[in-house]
Amino acid sequence: MTATSATARAEAPARPPRRRIRTPHKRAIIALVAPFLVLFALFYALPVAYAVWESLLVVQRDGTFGPATEVFGGLQQYALVFQDQAFWGSVGRVLLFGVVQVPVMLGLALVFALLLDSPLVKGKRFFRLAYFVPYAVPGVIAAIMWGFLFSPNLSPFAALTKAVPFLGADLVLWSIANVVTWVYVGYNMLIIYSALLAVPQEIYEAARLDGAGQFRMAWSIKIPIVRPAILMTAVFSIIGTLQLLAEPQVFASFSSAVTSTYTPNMTIYATSSLPNYNLAAAFSVVLALATFILSFTFLKVTQRKGQDA
Amino acid sequence: MRYPKRIAAIAALAVSATVALAGCSSSSSGSGDTAAACAPTKGKVTLDFTTWVPGMADVVKLWNDKNPDIQVKVQEGPNGNNGTYKNFFNEVKAGNAPDLGQVEYDALPNFRVQNALADLSACSAVVKAKSDFVDWTWNQVSLGSDKSVYGIPQDSGPMALFYRKDLFEKNGIAVPKTWDEYKEAAKKIRALGGYITNFSQTDINQFAGFVWQAGGQWFANDGKDWTVDLTSSESTKVADYWNGLIKDGLVSTVPAWTDEWNNAYNSGQAWTWNSAVWGANSISSGAPDTAGDWAVAPSPQWSAGDDAAGNWGGSSVVSFTGSKHLYEATKFALWLNTSDEALTALNKAANLYPATKKGLKLPALQQGVDFYGGQKIYDVFAQASSQVKPDFTWGPTMTQTYADVSDGFKGAVSGSGTLTDALKSAQESTIKALKAQSIPVKG
Amino acid sequence: MTAETLIPVPTGQRAEREERRRSRRGYRGTGPKQSPVSRAVAMTVMVVFTLYTLIPLWWLVVASSKSRGQLLTTNGLWFADFNLFKNIGDMLAYGDGIFGRWMLNSILYAGVGGFLATLLAGMCGYALAKYRFRGRETLFNVVLGGVLVPATALALPLFLLFSKVQLTDTIWAVLLPSIVSPFGVYLSRIFAAASVPDELMEAARLDGSGELRTFFTIAVRLMTPALVTVFLFQFVAIWNNFFLPLIMLRSTELFPVTFGLYTWNTQINQVPELRTFVLSGAFLSIIPLVVTFLLLQRYWRNGLGSGSLK
């Protein structure tokens, strides 16, 4: 991202601040960008601004059943957020989860995309469909299914599940990781695969003429070319990990090890159900900031000079 | 900065839009207590009724066919704690709540604290109906007030003991009448390889039912402050009792309402279930292979000869603040929850057990039930219903209390701490949660 | 600076013939013959993972074919009495055939919503990739910012917004927010940058084509794999989304199928036969997604870039 902004900055004159820079194709740009932007502003930006506003309010009451009024409370909600040990414990938990699960999942997705893109694999259409299908299964059903498969008594692999407590305190986080990986490997694989499809065949001509084998081509040509796609899936996987909600919630119904504040987003969900909108909004803002810092750091670390985003 | 003007313009737009959006959330201030007038509306009225009771539309059709001027439109959704309560709160904030809604007893104080409930005492028909209902159910909807009433009780969940008659008889174990006898029976059953029951770490309202039976109170409200007392002597007595059973390995701790749990009952691994009247259906559907083997007995007591019962579940029909057709809404709700035809239909469609005195004597509830060996199980529950202590009070943040107690119970079952420790820590976090919403609380 | 500029591309009719020849045979270029060992290893890896992805699905098919009592008592991975069609029939009849209505709703929301989302995201991503303008990166980062906030925090504000214009409990309440796909913008941007060469746009301009016309006639063709991916994912996301219907919809006739199943799932304790209906319903609801995928698969072809430069 910074490479393109660098070139953008290099093009526009730096000195006279008031000179109007003529943007070429201005009307076209507006026509292309505006529809998305307007709806985005309405359904994302506006609600976010509202949530931030809510997080600055505090409720005051009159008596045990007295009516409530919201008044400006500054950072009081945030003080509560920072004192909440369970919340920070859950943040640590999803970070641990992310550090392991995201590289594993994306590594697998990359390998499968490369295999699919190579002549080594026959029956590409079948595999594409097979890997896609887990994403098509609704989350509630997927979790019921896995709950059944992990169950000590009812699983068809009962010998294994009785011996290894997949739903116990030590392993349940990784059992959830397994479900998340199962759902999203195919999804990420297809993104990387589509990026590979966009590469014109001529690029490989020179490499083949040089005698490069599939592995060499994958390593030296394909991976660098789809780097932007990989980075993008990584960023969105990081965001998704920090916002983990659906899978742990269903696991909570059949595992004694999953509490109601197992992940940060579960805390937010529980708080907003109380309903304590103001505190839930504060939690959301803090979580969003943490996610932003993490994504931003990740992108900065993976930037290389001269790389298009 | 290169584009101060543009950024300022965007920021101004964002702020004004946010304020406009905030403006449409009517944080209900002001006179929340003046009961809306209960006068009939001229002309045809259509009421919206949001519920999750399956088959409600068929029951409501009975009303719609006979009342062309008051038509009720049923809106179904997931049950309260799975999203519908959140929707109610959102709707009250936005000012477009339905005319009628389904709210369980333990959620009523929460709705009351959010000022979401209309006071139905303005309607004379409602006040007159008080004597139709079993006393403790009316207390559940009047929330400690002598004059006001915030919902019409619909169903109840008096608790009793479901047990495997065949297994008890075959092994010569007497049906326990006290909790001490229950523990003795548990030891015998464990020696035979089974478990007397399964301890659920997620059904905290079941546990509350045990505390209710023991005479404990978790919450109290004196008008000025709430008191939170999860660790009262009765509550601790119940917690220590079950903790003992868990630590001695006398009960299984499978997560409830899972395939695993159904299987435990279906395969005869678990021999009893301390449950409410609606549990009759849960057993027959979850453990179909055991048809005819079960029977129902009154709950075990703390002292021999006592006759106390707990309650698990039950809901009411409420009208939300700002409702414009209170008269018509209460007219319908009273029909739904007191008339024989509606109660019979509700029992048939959703296995609901009435909250009215007359309802307990419905013909449908006087039959023997095949699954229970032909026993007239509802007689046991009718008696239990009369033995439920009348003044159990729920707190204003029960979802949070339930979640925290459940988290603690899960920990205790996995080895860290006891059930009483869980109650202690939930006590602290509940007080914190109340304070976070500026609800006055002692301690 | 994209990779194409490094390598001279064949142009004109020769390129088109070459392209057709290649695609007809699934040809992937000359080169050293693939060793049978690496082929075997590759296939084994793919097959093993396929088992992993499909076993839970197989469980769903098997579970949908069982009656309620058999769900618990028989082996989860093989059939007992085959009741699949009976279960499906019962489910379709339940609630006056509401399931069928739910499927139609889902097709509407996901089809129209997915199409519009792809259109909007494609346009925006293309503009971000191929044009330079002030605030481009800021815009891009703001779009990312929208994704950072947990959806649960947006529930109340969205509901208030739609309440204000009295659009709650209508199809618009589900359709409109579904049209916004920040992820789609990201994907489109990356693909547009990689697959639409600046030279092509210049050539089109010289030919007198307006920018929008260039987009719709040329760029869309080049970005087809990306747009198809965006559509597919958005289609599935809208299909399986139950968060938005949960907060916006009250009338059962407007429910999409996944939300309907979720509602049934919460009523299982009172109406036990819903258990089998939820499973058969889930099985049926995956079918349109699979069909959509199969129909769109053919758009995943490679190398559409070469030969377009005249």
Side-chain angles (χ1 to χ4, degrees), chain A residues 182-197:
Chain A
W182 178 79
V183 173
Y184 289 105
V185 164
Y187 175 88
N188 287 307
M189 181 205 80
L190 286 178
I191 292 175
I192 299 175
Y193 178 68
S194 329
L196 284 170
L197 284 179

PDB file of all heavy atoms in Angstrom, chain A residues 182-197:
ATOM      1  N   TRP A 182     -11.039 -25.774   8.893  1.00  0.00           N
ATOM      2  CA  TRP A 182     -11.853 -26.572   7.985  1.00  0.00           C
ATOM      3  C   TRP A 182     -12.735 -25.693   7.115  1.00  0.00           C
ATOM      4  O   TRP A 182     -12.860 -25.916   5.900  1.00  0.00           O
ATOM      5  CB  TRP A 182     -12.692 -27.550   8.813  1.00  0.00           C
ATOM      6  CG  TRP A 182     -13.619 -28.402   8.038  1.00  0.00           C
ATOM      7  CD1 TRP A 182     -13.312 -29.519   7.336  1.00  0.00           C
ATOM      8  CD2 TRP A 182     -15.024 -28.213   7.873  1.00  0.00           C
ATOM      9  NE1 TRP A 182     -14.430 -30.049   6.750  1.00  0.00           N
ATOM     10  CE2 TRP A 182     -15.500 -29.272   7.059  1.00  0.00           C
ATOM     11  CE3 TRP A 182     -15.942 -27.263   8.333  1.00  0.00           C
ATOM     12  CZ2 TRP A 182     -16.844 -29.405   6.705  1.00  0.00           C
ATOM     13  CZ3 TRP A 182     -17.272 -27.396   7.974  1.00  0.00           C
ATOM     14  CH2 TRP A 182     -17.704 -28.446   7.175  1.00  0.00           C
ATOM     15  N   VAL A 183     -13.338 -24.661   7.736  1.00  0.00           N
ATOM     16  CA  VAL A 183     -14.242 -23.801   6.984  1.00  0.00           C
ATOM     17  C   VAL A 183     -13.493 -22.946   5.975  1.00  0.00           C
ATOM     18  O   VAL A 183     -13.916 -22.768   4.839  1.00  0.00           O
ATOM     19  CB  VAL A 183     -15.047 -22.899   7.936  1.00  0.00           C
ATOM     20  CG1 VAL A 183     -15.861 -21.882   7.153  1.00  0.00           C
ATOM     21  CG2 VAL A 183     -15.959 -23.731   8.803  1.00  0.00           C
ATOM     22  N   TYR A 184     -12.345 -22.408   6.374  1.00  0.00           N
ATOM     23  CA  TYR A 184     -11.749 -21.342   5.569  1.00  0.00           C
ATOM     24  C   TYR A 184     -10.555 -21.718   4.709  1.00  0.00           C
ATOM     25  O   TYR A 184     -10.094 -20.886   3.940  1.00  0.00           O
ATOM     26  CB  TYR A 184     -11.367 -20.163   6.478  1.00  0.00           C
ATOM     27  CG  TYR A 184     -12.573 -19.421   6.980  1.00  0.00           C
ATOM     28  CD1 TYR A 184     -13.022 -19.568   8.289  1.00  0.00           C
ATOM     29  CD2 TYR A 184     -13.299 -18.593   6.128  1.00  0.00           C
ATOM     30  CE1 TYR A 184     -14.142 -18.906   8.724  1.00  0.00           C
ATOM     31  CE2 TYR A 184     -14.421 -17.933   6.563  1.00  0.00           C
ATOM     32  CZ  TYR A 184     -14.838 -18.087   7.858  1.00  0.00           C
ATOM     33  OH  TYR A 184     -15.955 -17.436   8.300  1.00  0.00           O
ATOM     34  N   VAL A 185     -10.034 -22.918   4.806  1.00  0.00           N
ATOM     35  CA  VAL A 185      -8.893 -23.259   3.943  1.00  0.00           C
ATOM     36  C   VAL A 185      -9.313 -23.152   2.483  1.00  0.00           C
ATOM     37  O   VAL A 185      -8.620 -22.539   1.666  1.00  0.00           O
ATOM     38  CB  VAL A 185      -8.360 -24.678   4.234  1.00  0.00           C
ATOM     39  CG1 VAL A 185      -7.485 -25.139   3.089  1.00  0.00           C
ATOM     40  CG2 VAL A 185      -7.553 -24.696   5.486  1.00  0.00           C
ATOM     41  N   GLY A 186     -10.455 -23.751   2.163  1.00  0.00           N
ATOM     42  CA  GLY A 186     -10.900 -23.731   0.776  1.00  0.00           C
ATOM     43  C   GLY A 186     -11.152 -22.309   0.295  1.00  0.00           C
ATOM     44  O   GLY A 186     -10.813 -21.945  -0.829  1.00  0.00           O
ATOM     45  N   TYR A 187     -11.725 -21.523   1.146  1.00  0.00           N
ATOM     46  CA  TYR A 187     -12.023 -20.117   0.843  1.00  0.00           C
ATOM     47  C   TYR A 187     -10.745 -19.378   0.477  1.00  0.00           C
ATOM     48  O   TYR A 187     -10.637 -18.752  -0.566  1.00  0.00           O
ATOM     49  CB  TYR A 187     -12.676 -19.549   2.096  1.00  0.00           C
ATOM     50  CG  TYR A 187     -12.983 -18.088   2.121  1.00  0.00           C
ATOM     51  CD1 TYR A 187     -14.184 -17.605   1.631  1.00  0.00           C
ATOM     52  CD2 TYR A 187     -12.108 -17.187   2.711  1.00  0.00           C
ATOM     53  CE1 TYR A 187     -14.499 -16.268   1.711  1.00  0.00           C
ATOM     54  CE2 TYR A 187     -12.415 -15.854   2.787  1.00  0.00           C
ATOM     55  CZ  TYR A 187     -13.617 -15.404   2.296  1.00  0.00           C
ATOM     56  OH  TYR A 187     -13.922 -14.078   2.381  1.00  0.00           O
ATOM     57  N   ASN A 188      -9.738 -19.471   1.349  1.00  0.00           N
ATOM     58  CA  ASN A 188      -8.487 -18.774   1.076  1.00  0.00           C
ATOM     59  C   ASN A 188      -7.768 -19.374  -0.111  1.00  0.00           C
ATOM     60  O   ASN A 188      -7.118 -18.676  -0.884  1.00  0.00           O
ATOM     61  CB  ASN A 188      -7.599 -18.804   2.326  1.00  0.00           C
ATOM     62  CG  ASN A 188      -8.138 -17.875   3.394  1.00  0.00           C
ATOM     63  OD1 ASN A 188      -8.371 -16.703   3.149  1.00  0.00           O
ATOM     64  ND2 ASN A 188      -8.347 -18.404   4.588  1.00  0.00           N
ATOM     65  N   MET A 189      -7.906 -20.699  -0.247  1.00  0.00           N
ATOM     66  CA  MET A 189      -7.263 -21.350  -1.386  1.00  0.00           C
ATOM     67  C   MET A 189      -7.815 -20.798  -2.697  1.00  0.00           C
ATOM     68  O   MET A 189      -7.071 -20.547  -3.647  1.00  0.00           O
ATOM     69  CB  MET A 189      -7.490 -22.859  -1.314  1.00  0.00           C
ATOM     70  CG  MET A 189      -6.836 -23.605  -2.461  1.00  0.00           C
ATOM     71  SD  MET A 189      -7.638 -25.169  -2.792  1.00  0.00           S
ATOM     72  CE  MET A 189      -9.045 -24.650  -3.728  1.00  0.00           C
ATOM     73  N   LEU A 190      -9.123 -20.621  -2.750  1.00  0.00           N
ATOM     74  CA  LEU A 190      -9.724 -20.132  -3.992  1.00  0.00           C
ATOM     75  C   LEU A 190      -9.293 -18.712  -4.309  1.00  0.00           C
ATOM     76  O   LEU A 190      -9.145 -18.347  -5.472  1.00  0.00           O
ATOM     77  CB  LEU A 190     -11.250 -20.217  -3.904  1.00  0.00           C
ATOM     78  CG  LEU A 190     -11.812 -21.628  -4.024  1.00  0.00           C
ATOM     79  CD1 LEU A 190     -13.315 -21.618  -3.870  1.00  0.00           C
ATOM     80  CD2 LEU A 190     -11.427 -22.260  -5.346  1.00  0.00           C
ATOM     81  N   ILE A 191      -9.078 -17.911  -3.277  1.00  0.00           N
ATOM     82  CA  ILE A 191      -8.617 -16.547  -3.537  1.00  0.00           C
ATOM     83  C   ILE A 191      -7.222 -16.571  -4.151  1.00  0.00           C
ATOM     84  O   ILE A 191      -6.946 -15.924  -5.171  1.00  0.00           O
ATOM     85  CB  ILE A 191      -8.605 -15.729  -2.235  1.00  0.00           C
ATOM     86  CG1 ILE A 191     -10.029 -15.503  -1.766  1.00  0.00           C
ATOM     87  CG2 ILE A 191      -7.889 -14.407  -2.439  1.00  0.00           C
ATOM     88  CD1 ILE A 191     -10.106 -14.824  -0.437  1.00  0.00           C
ATOM     89  N   ILE A 192      -6.344 -17.354  -3.524  1.00  0.00           N
ATOM     90  CA  ILE A 192      -4.977 -17.421  -4.039  1.00  0.00           C
ATOM     91  C   ILE A 192      -4.980 -18.059  -5.424  1.00  0.00           C
ATOM     92  O   ILE A 192      -4.256 -17.649  -6.331  1.00  0.00           O
ATOM     93  CB  ILE A 192      -4.087 -18.216  -3.074  1.00  0.00           C
ATOM     94  CG1 ILE A 192      -4.066 -17.512  -1.714  1.00  0.00           C
ATOM     95  CG2 ILE A 192      -2.675 -18.352  -3.612  1.00  0.00           C
ATOM     96  CD1 ILE A 192      -3.322 -18.265  -0.645  1.00  0.00           C
ATOM     97  N   TYR A 193      -5.840 -19.055  -5.585  1.00  0.00           N
ATOM     98  CA  TYR A 193      -5.922 -19.732  -6.877  1.00  0.00           C
ATOM     99  C   TYR A 193      -6.389 -18.775  -7.970  1.00  0.00           C
ATOM    100  O   TYR A 193      -5.858 -18.777  -9.082  1.00  0.00           O
ATOM    101  CB  TYR A 193      -6.878 -20.921  -6.735  1.00  0.00           C
ATOM    102  CG  TYR A 193      -7.104 -21.699  -7.986  1.00  0.00           C
ATOM    103  CD1 TYR A 193      -6.085 -22.448  -8.558  1.00  0.00           C
ATOM    104  CD2 TYR A 193      -8.353 -21.702  -8.599  1.00  0.00           C
ATOM    105  CE1 TYR A 193      -6.303 -23.184  -9.709  1.00  0.00           C
ATOM    106  CE2 TYR A 193      -8.579 -22.434  -9.746  1.00  0.00           C
ATOM    107  CZ  TYR A 193      -7.555 -23.168 -10.300  1.00  0.00           C
ATOM    108  OH  TYR A 193      -7.774 -23.888 -11.446  1.00  0.00           O
ATOM    109  N   SER A 194      -7.378 -17.956  -7.664  1.00  0.00           N
ATOM    110  CA  SER A 194      -7.833 -16.986  -8.672  1.00  0.00           C
ATOM    111  C   SER A 194      -6.735 -16.007  -9.013  1.00  0.00           C
ATOM    112  O   SER A 194      -6.612 -15.574 -10.163  1.00  0.00           O
ATOM    113  CB  SER A 194      -9.050 -16.187  -8.201  1.00  0.00           C
ATOM    114  OG  SER A 194      -9.840 -16.919  -7.358  1.00  0.00           O
ATOM    115  N   ALA A 195      -5.946 -15.647  -8.011  1.00  0.00           N
ATOM    116  CA  ALA A 195      -4.819 -14.760  -8.298  1.00  0.00           C
ATOM    117  C   ALA A 195      -3.844 -15.452  -9.242  1.00  0.00           C
ATOM    118  O   ALA A 195      -3.306 -14.840 -10.160  1.00  0.00           O
ATOM    119  CB  ALA A 195      -4.123 -14.362  -7.008  1.00  0.00           C
ATOM    120  N   LEU A 196      -3.632 -16.737  -9.018  1.00  0.00           N
ATOM    121  CA  LEU A 196      -2.741 -17.478  -9.903  1.00  0.00           C
ATOM    122  C   LEU A 196      -3.307 -17.542 -11.316  1.00  0.00           C
ATOM    123  O   LEU A 196      -2.571 -17.486 -12.302  1.00  0.00           O
ATOM    124  CB  LEU A 196      -2.524 -18.899  -9.368  1.00  0.00           C
ATOM    125  CG  LEU A 196      -1.588 -19.015  -8.173  1.00  0.00           C
ATOM    126  CD1 LEU A 196      -1.643 -20.410  -7.601  1.00  0.00           C
ATOM    127  CD2 LEU A 196      -0.171 -18.667  -8.574  1.00  0.00           C
ATOM    128  N   LEU A 197      -4.621 -17.658 -11.410  1.00  0.00           N
ATOM    129  CA  LEU A 197      -5.244 -17.732 -12.734  1.00  0.00           C
ATOM    130  C   LEU A 197      -5.060 -16.448 -13.519  1.00  0.00           C
ATOM    131  O   LEU A 197      -5.070 -16.452 -14.747  1.00  0.00           O
ATOM    132  CB  LEU A 197      -6.748 -18.011 -12.589  1.00  0.00           C
ATOM    133  CG  LEU A 197      -7.152 -19.436 -12.242  1.00  0.00           C
ATOM    134  CD1 LEU A 197      -8.654 -19.505 -12.113  1.00  0.00           C
ATOM    135  CD2 LEU A 197      -6.652 -20.394 -13.287  1.00  0.00           C
TER     136      LEU A 197
END
